[in-house]
Amino acid sequence: KPEADPIFAAMEILGVKNKEEICYVGDALNDYKSSQNAGVNGYLLERNNEYADFVGNKIKTLEELLK
């Protein structure tokens, strides 16, 4: 990480061609950077306010993605 190759590999395995259909969630800044490098929707999962200064898509629970 933060290489995009694992995301591209997962897209190929799943048969997803449209990057807009992908939502990549990670709990570290490198995870978010991977999503940005791959050009997909990325979210930083922040459980304990450890990334208070982070500017970008951030969630505290996966349930937030369903809203």
Side-chain angles (χ1 to χ4, degrees), residues 2-67:
E3 290 79 19
D5 293 338
I7 296 174
F8 295 145
M11 289 175 65
E12 185 174 332
I13 290 168
L14 296 171
V16 177
K17 300 195 185 316
N18 186 348
K19 291 180 181 182
E20 292 180 8
E21 296 178 26
I22 299 295
C23 177
Y24 187 80
V25 178
D27 62 356
L29 290 175
N30 274 344
D31 296 324
Y32 186 80
K33 289 176 185 175
S34 292
S35 71
Q36 297 300 292
N37 290 340
V40 301
N41 296 310
Y43 291 86
L44 181 61
L45 181 62
E46 178 184 52
R47 296 180 183 106
N48 300 307
N49 203 33
E50 61 268 44
Y51 300 110
D53 296 333
F54 175 77
V55 177
N57 297 326
K58 185 167 51 171
I59 57 174
K60 291 193 179 284
T61 69
L62 293 176
E63 290 175 345
E64 292 178 48
L65 294 175
L66 303 175
K67 295 180 181 178

